[in-house]
Amino acid sequence: MKIHYFQRYHAKENVATANTMLLLSRLYQYSSDKFFRFLKSEFFSDSFEPEIVFNLQEKSVDSIPDATVTQESFKIVVETKMSDWFYSEQLMRHLNSFGDEKYKVMITLAPELMAEDKKNIFEQQLKEYNSAQSKPVIHINTTFEGIVNAIQEVIDDRDYEMQEVLDDYLNYCYNDGLIAVSDSWKFMRMQLAGTTLDFNVSQDIYYDNAERGFRAHDYLSLYKNKSVRAVGKISARITAVDTDNGMQYEVEFGELTEEKKQKIADAIIDGVQHGYDIKSSKHRYFFVEKFYETDFKKITPRAPMGTRVFDLTQILETEQLPETEDIAELLKTKTWS
């Protein structure tokens, strides 16, 4: 049984806040450098230098000490809602939480961004407040998905421990409706295929441990030998496990047919041939309409060690995606790192 990092309760702002803060604290414990890169990229400007700085012979007003150790002061105040129910009166009261910090940020966090009119009202009030302050407060309105995206940018696929934590946070967010799945149409998840690639492509199926969380995505791609080799649009997602009463199936998306049951059985046999036991533990089977051959090359030296999610609208520089076969052709002209 998988042990989750994050509590799973429904519609409780304090739990959502606690889980998000736990995610950030785990990132800091894992790598303070990547934590501060996350802060700089998402909330602060490049001029923000929160890391401890060691200086030798730093000149002060009246002397030159042998060494100094300094760190810029900063404070982040977070207000979390389960929907866009922010009130400017409450947010203005939160400004009293700040002291004489050099950098001050107020984060309004919810599953969706604030309505533009509501945001404008608060930011106008904040502008008036800042006019009387020597160190202004910055307001960042973001979402749970925005936090995930920002962290994903600073960690890589070799950060196994942190990727696992982020996957579980994503799983929590999806279970509690904190991340909408309406934009899944633009995401392509890349999986390592290796020895099973030929079977996966020929049968239009891919399997993974059911305990692994993932961002909602409509497209699945398979990686082998420095390149994404195939891409398909997901038509069904089904979990299966062998029990004392036979195979137990659970349909998460799409339809369970006899043909799909047979493909799952064939995948189990193919897995055994490659040394994988996917029968006795619950696995998730991704069925695609058809895998199309592509060649989306990775141009950096290190091979990826796990999954990765691409925003196809950014990769292909388009607001509307073409047919899957055309996506495969366009990806041949692109590279990634």
Side-chain angles (χ1 to χ4, degrees):
M1 178 180 295
K2 181 178 176 64
I3 297 175
H4 294 289
Y5 296 97
F6 302 98
Q7 301 179 59
R8 278 154 168 77
Y9 300 116
H10 293 279
K12 288 193 175 183
E13 294 170 6
N14 57 337
V15 174
T17 305
N19 282 348
T20 304
M21 293 305 101
L22 176 58
L23 172 67
L24 298 185
S25 70
R26 289 299 295 257
L27 176 61
Y28 178 77
Q29 292 166 18
Y30 179 77
S31 169
S32 60
D33 175 63
K34 294 186 177 185
F35 173 77
F36 288 128
R37 279 170 52 197
F38 158 76
L39 288 184
K40 290 177 69 171
S41 66
E42 185 70 359
F43 306 122
F44 297 103
S45 67
D46 289 336
S47 61
F48 174 58
E49 295 295 343
E51 298 94 336
I52 292 177
V53 178
F54 298 84
N55 288 313
L56 297 176
Q57 301 291 311
E58 182 183 89
K59 186 177 181 179
S60 66
V61 177
D62 298 317
S63 66
I64 302 178
D66 290 330
T68 60
V69 181
T70 59
Q71 183 177 34
E72 299 282 16
S73 62
F74 68 94
K75 187 171 187 177
I76 301 174
V77 172
V78 181
E79 176 60 27
T80 306
K81 299 292 185 187
M82 291 297 97
S83 61
D84 181 24
W85 283 10
F86 295 103
Y87 300 99
S88 58
E89 295 85 357
Q90 182 189 36
L91 297 178
M92 291 300 294
R93 290 196 300 272
H94 285 339
L95 297 177
N96 295 324
S97 301
F98 293 105
D100 194 39
E101 299 85 11
K102 184 174 181 179
Y103 299 97
K104 309 173 186 180
V105 173
M106 174 177 287
I107 300 174
T108 45
L109 175 64
E112 57 186 310
L113 293 173
M114 290 175 69
E116 203 61 33
D117 56 344
K118 187 181 296 185
K119 183 180 177 183
N120 289 339
I121 291 172
F122 169 63
E123 292 194 339
Q124 181 57 42
Q125 293 177 340
L126 180 61
K127 183 178 180 180
E128 295 174 5
Y129 170 87
N130 281 334
S131 65
Q133 307 297 316
S134 60
K135 301 181 180 72
V137 176
I138 301 169
H139 172 227
I140 301 292
N141 178 226
T142 190
T143 62
F144 295 96
E145 185 173 19
I147 296 287
V148 169
N149 290 341
I151 293 179
Q152 193 71 67
E153 286 298 313
V154 300
I155 64 176
D156 59 44
D157 45 30
R158 289 177 178 266
D159 293 322
Y160 313 121
E161 180 184 341
M162 197 60 221
Q163 286 284 4
E164 183 179 355
V165 172
L166 191 61
D167 280 349
D168 192 51
Y169 180 79
L170 265 172
N171 186 268
Y172 154 72
C173 287
Y174 283 128
N175 285 342
D176 278 32
L178 302 181
I179 294 181
V181 297
S182 58
D183 61 352
S184 63
W185 61 272
K186 65 182 182 179
F187 290 117
M188 176 181 77
R189 185 186 185 202
M190 182 205 76
Q191 291 288 158
L192 308 183
T195 55
T196 66
L197 179 65
D198 291 341
F199 173 83
N200 298 141
V201 172
S202 66
Q203 298 300 311
D204 298 316
I205 187 175
Y206 182 84
Y207 51 82
D208 197 9
N209 194 303
E211 293 182 342
R212 294 201 178 110
F214 58 89
R215 179 195 306 277
H217 57 286
D218 282 10
Y219 295 89
L220 182 68
S221 61
L222 305 178
Y223 174 96
K224 182 179 181 180
N225 295 339
K226 296 290 292 178
S227 185
V228 172
R229 302 293 178 178
V231 59
K233 188 171 185 179
I234 297 172
S235 59
R237 201 173 61 237
I238 299 166
T239 64
V241 62
D242 191 21
T243 70
D244 293 338
N245 298 319
M247 291 297 293
Q248 180 179 316
Y249 304 95
E250 181 181 343
V251 179
E252 297 179 339
F253 167 71
E255 181 183 2
L256 178 63
T257 63
E258 291 303 319
E259 180 185 10
K260 289 186 175 67
K261 288 182 180 180
Q262 184 58 53
K263 285 191 174 186
I264 290 173
D266 292 341
I268 291 172
I269 294 172
D270 184 74
V272 170
Q273 294 175 356
H274 298 290
Y276 304 132
D277 176 15
I278 63 173
K279 183 178 181 181
S280 56
S281 62
K282 191 175 183 180
H283 274 65
R284 179 175 288 108
Y285 296 83
F286 297 84
F287 294 85
V288 301
E289 295 170 354
K290 176 179 173 57
F291 272 123
Y292 291 94
E293 180 185 349
T294 189
D295 189 13
F296 183 31
K297 290 186 176 65
K298 186 177 188 295
I299 57 175
T300 46
R302 295 188 306 178
M305 302 301 291
T307 186
R308 177 159 176 173
V309 176
F310 296 94
D311 183 338
L312 287 173
T313 61
Q314 293 183 8
I315 298 294
L316 303 180
E317 301 176 285
T318 180
E319 294 182 358
Q320 195 167 20
L321 295 180
E323 295 297 318
T324 311
E325 186 173 9
D326 297 322
I327 291 174
E329 288 301 314
L330 289 170
L331 286 174
K332 293 179 181 178
T333 68
K334 306 293 182 178
T335 60
W336 58 286
S337 57

